[in-house]
Amino acid sequence: MERSYDDELKDRDFGDYIYETPYWIIFLAPNQSNIGTCVIALKRHYGSLSGLKDEEWVDFGRTVKQLENTFKKVFKPTLFNWGALMNADYLNENPDPHVHWHLIPRYKEKIEFGGIIFEDPYFGSMHPRPILKIPQTIRKKIIDEIKKNL
Amino acid sequence: MERSYDDELKDRDFGDYIYETPYWIIFLAPNQSNIGTCVIALKRHYGSLSGLKDEEWVDFGRTVKQLENTFKKVFKPTLFNWGALMNADYLNENPDPHVHWHLIPRYKEKIEFGGIIFEDPYFGSMHPRPILKIPQTIRKKIIDEIKKNL
C-alpha cells in the first residue's frame, strides 16, 4: 500500500503542525532552545534538494519571507539560520531522507515567553547545545502567536 | 561612490571563484575540511533570504541541482548539507550581511585527492571541526574537476 505524506511526516518527529502552503508544511520543532525554531517539510516524499521543482522553490521562497516577517513581529530575533542538512537519516542503515529545512531564529538578547527565559549563548556561531523541551501549553501559545501574525 | 558587487564579494573571503549563474556566484570555500565545500553568493548585495525574488530562487534551485549532480560525478559524497546562516556578520558592531549559502558535501568514507586524505569524522552531525587549508595547487585541481563536470 502506498504511504501518504501524512504517514511519512508523522514518523519523522518534525514537531507540531502550524500551517501549510501549496508545497510545504511548517512545524514547530521539538527543540525550542531558540524559541520559534521550525521545520519546513516538503509535502511530497522526496529525498534531496536537487529534485525540487521550480514551483516548489518559489513557494519555499515565499514561505521564507512569510516566516521571517512573522517572527520579526512576534519574537524579534536578530537573524535567521536556514539549513537543509539531511544528516540524521544517513545514520540509518537504509537511509530514506525527506526534504526538510530548519529555521532557527537567533537572538542577540535573551527573551522571555510564557514564563521561560530563552537564551542564545552561542549567538553568532553554530556551537551545539542541549535540546530544550518546553511544556505543551507553551508550545501551543507559540504556535498561536505565529498563526495570529502570519 | 556606489560599490559594485565585485567589491562586496572580494571583501568577504568567500573563497576562489569557480563559475556563475544569472543570479549567483559559486566559490570554492576557504575551508576544505570536507572536500568541495562551496559558497554560493548572491550577485547583488542584499542581506536576508526574505528579500530574494522568485527568479533568484528558481536559479538557486537549478544551481543546487547542477552542483549536486557535478559532485556526484567528481567526489561522490554521501549527502549534501545546505545552509544560509548569516551568523558571522552579526558579530560585527554594524552588521552588513550578504546572502550566501554554504554547500558542504558529506562523506561516509574518506577520500583521497591530490595526495591529501579527506576524512569526515562527524559524518551524520554538525559537530564543529578545525578549518583545513590546503595548497593553492590542489584548490585549483578541485576547481578544474568541478568545472569539467558541470
Side-chain angles (χ1 to χ4, degrees):
Chain A
M1 199 182 78
E2 205 180 317
R3 290 166 60 83
S4 73
Y5 75 78
D6 286 336
D7 294 329
E8 284 297 338
L9 295 180
K10 256 183 228 143
D11 286 356
R12 287 174 193 268
D13 195 25
F14 287 150
D16 296 322
Y17 178 95
I18 308 177
Y19 77 107
E20 65 195 273
T21 72
Y23 297 104
W24 301 89
I25 304 185
I26 295 86
F27 298 90
L28 189 71
N31 180 6
Q32 290 295 302
S33 63
N34 285 296
I35 186 171
T37 298
C38 287
V39 170
I40 293 89
L42 188 65
K43 281 189 182 178
R44 69 183 170 102
H45 182 43
Y46 196 79
S48 83
L49 287 188
S50 55
L52 291 192
K53 299 167 187 166
D54 288 354
E55 58 270 29
E56 291 166 337
W57 280 111
V58 169
D59 187 43
F60 177 68
R62 291 173 187 173
T63 307
V64 167
K65 181 183 272 184
Q66 181 171 44
L67 284 170
E68 290 198 358
N69 288 343
T70 295
F71 279 113
K72 280 176 201 159
K73 285 184 271 179
V74 181
F75 303 118
K76 302 182 178 57
T78 315
L79 64 95
F80 302 91
N81 299 155
W82 286 91
L85 306 178
M86 319 306 283
N87 281 334
D89 210 80
Y90 282 90
L91 296 173
N92 299 326
E93 202 173 334
N94 298 303
D96 178 27
H98 182 102
V99 167
H100 64 283
W101 294 89
H102 299 272
L103 162 56
I104 309 176
R106 303 296 301 265
Y107 301 86
K108 202 163 187 176
E109 311 292 338
K110 64 186 173 188
I111 77 159
E112 184 274 336
F113 184 84
I116 300 172
I117 305 287
F118 294 85
E119 296 190 81
D120 190 354
Y122 302 112
F123 178 80
S125 85
M126 291 310 284
H127 197 89
R129 48 190 296 219
I131 287 172
L132 178 67
K133 302 264 187 184
I134 59 173
Q136 200 57 36
T137 49
I138 310 295
R139 293 178 63 82
K140 191 176 173 314
K141 275 189 193 169
I142 294 172
I143 291 172
D144 289 345
E145 279 302 303
I146 293 171
K147 286 169 80 170
K148 257 196 315 199
N149 287 281
L150 281 174
Chain B
M1 200 181 81
E2 206 178 316
R3 289 166 62 83
S4 74
Y5 76 78
D6 285 337
D7 294 329
E8 284 296 340
L9 296 180
K10 257 183 229 144
D11 286 355
R12 288 176 193 267
D13 196 24
F14 286 150
D16 296 322
Y17 177 95
I18 308 176
Y19 77 107
E20 64 195 272
T21 72
Y23 298 105
W24 301 89
I25 303 185
I26 295 87
F27 298 89
L28 189 70
N31 179 7
Q32 289 295 302
S33 63
N34 285 296
I35 185 171
T37 298
C38 288
V39 169
I40 293 89
L42 188 64
K43 281 188 183 179
R44 68 183 170 102
H45 182 43
Y46 196 80
S48 84
L49 287 188
S50 55
L52 291 191
K53 299 167 186 167
D54 288 354
E55 57 270 29
E56 291 166 336
W57 280 111
V58 168
D59 187 43
F60 177 68
R62 291 172 187 172
T63 307
V64 167
K65 181 182 271 182
Q66 182 172 45
L67 284 170
E68 289 199 359
N69 288 343
T70 296
F71 278 113
K72 281 176 198 158
K73 286 184 272 181
V74 181
F75 303 119
K76 301 181 179 57
T78 315
L79 64 95
F80 302 91
N81 299 155
W82 286 91
L85 306 178
M86 320 305 284
N87 281 334
D89 209 81
Y90 282 91
L91 296 173
N92 299 326
E93 202 174 334
N94 297 304
D96 178 27
H98 183 101
V99 167
H100 64 282
W101 294 88
H102 299 271
L103 162 57
I104 309 177
R106 302 298 300 265
Y107 301 85
K108 201 164 186 174
E109 312 293 338
K110 64 185 173 190
I111 78 160
E112 185 273 336
F113 185 84
I116 300 172
I117 306 285
F118 294 86
E119 297 191 81
D120 190 354
Y122 302 113
F123 178 81
S125 83
M126 292 311 284
H127 198 89
R129 47 189 300 220
I131 287 172
L132 178 68
K133 303 264 187 184
I134 60 172
Q136 199 60 34
T137 50
I138 310 294
R139 293 179 61 83
K140 190 175 172 317
K141 276 188 193 171
I142 294 172
I143 291 171
D144 289 346
E145 280 303 303
I146 293 171
K147 285 169 81 168
K148 258 196 314 198
N149 287 281
L150 280 174

